[in-house]
Amino acid sequence: MSIKELTASPTYNPNRVLDAIIEKLQLKNDAALSRALEVAPPVISKIRHNTLPIGATILIRMHEISDFSIRELRELMAA
């Protein structure tokens, strides 16, 4: 399934993956998550509000910092 197909899916919810990473890394909030992912805070906000899909680059970065597998991250997005 492509990212475009995933984000168009009614079950796509990027908040689950963001919240799972925040919980796993024991981060305080989205600002701390943006620092951990090395992205600007508006990127996290746009992902949360479903105006920006989670692309390959940020997905890989999420994997690197969280030790969730890519498969686990994709399943969290589509659950």
Side-chain angles (χ1 to χ4, degrees), residues 1-65:
M1 178 180 289
S2 73
I3 294 289
K4 189 167 188 166
E5 291 169 327
L6 180 63
T7 58
S9 167
T11 61
Y12 174 73
N13 183 351
N15 293 322
R16 279 191 293 268
V17 74
L18 297 176
D19 292 341
I21 293 169
I22 286 172
E23 184 177 329
K24 184 166 189 172
L25 299 180
Q26 298 180 339
L27 300 173
K28 194 172 183 180
N29 52 32
D30 283 355
L33 178 61
S34 72
R35 287 190 295 276
L37 291 171
E38 299 175 358
V39 298
V43 171
I44 302 300
S45 179
K46 288 177 182 177
I47 290 172
R48 277 218 186 265
H49 292 96
N50 215 7
T51 58
L52 180 69
I54 296 174
T57 304
I58 198 161
L59 187 66
I60 291 168
R61 185 73 186 124
M62 289 174 169
H63 160 69
E64 290 172 347
I65 68 166

Side-chain angles (χ1 to χ4, degrees), residues 67-78:
D67 284 333
F68 280 121
S69 70
I70 298 292
R71 174 169 300 208
E72 288 172 314
L73 292 168
R74 289 175 57 98
E75 286 173 358
L76 281 166
M77 284 188 276

